[in-house]
């Protein structure tokens, strides 16, 4: 039998939702953006605006380092929490945010 290889970013979507609700929802509730309304967490906006494109790795980078009005969470959240919230954001952008 082969050896199972997990992807580089295999965050826990359920745990990521909790991290999102506690840390991100103030500005990004429902996948929106209260500061820069065009830069939402919707699939098309992530593809257009997120440095590196719509991927968990790109979300991890943005959350860790911050950008423009978004603060860096690298010192506030663990790497695991950031990986989990990235998985949640990508999964939810795929399935659609509930407004």
């Amino acid at each position: 039998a082969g050896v199972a290889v997990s992807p580089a970013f295999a965050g826990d979507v359920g745990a990521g939702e909790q991290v999102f609700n506690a840390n991100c929802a103030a500005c990004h509730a429902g996948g929106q953006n209260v500061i820069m309304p065009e830069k939402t967490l919707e699939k098309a906006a992530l593809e257009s605006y997120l440095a590196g494109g719509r991927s968990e790795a790109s979300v991890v980078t943005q959350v860790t380092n911050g950008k423009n009005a978004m603060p860096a969470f690298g010192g506030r959240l663990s790497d695991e929490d950031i990986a989990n919230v990235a998985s949640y954001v990508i999964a939810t952008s795929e399935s659609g945010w509930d407004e």
Side-chain angles (χ1 to χ4, degrees):
V3 175
V5 177
S6 62
F9 294 96
D12 179 320
V13 173
E17 182 175 14
Q18 294 178 330
V19 174
F20 183 90
N21 289 337
N23 297 278
C24 314
C27 293
H28 290 295
Q32 299 306 297
N33 184 327
V34 299
I35 307 298
M36 302 180 84
E38 72 281 6
K39 293 187 177 180
T40 68
L41 303 181
E42 302 286 350
K43 186 174 182 179
L46 291 175
E47 289 169 350
S48 296
Y49 297 114
L50 186 60
R54 185 183 154 270
S55 71
E56 289 183 37
S58 298
V59 175
V60 165
T61 298
Q62 176 111 351
V63 171
T64 301
N65 301 326
K67 187 173 181 184
N68 299 324
M70 182 172 161
F73 286 87
R76 293 189 250 182
L77 296 174
S78 69
D79 290 348
E80 181 180 16
D81 282 346
I82 292 173
N84 290 344
V85 82
S87 294
Y88 171 73
V89 167
I90 294 300
T92 309
S93 72
E94 187 64 41
S95 62
W97 293 88
D98 294 328
E99 298 302 324

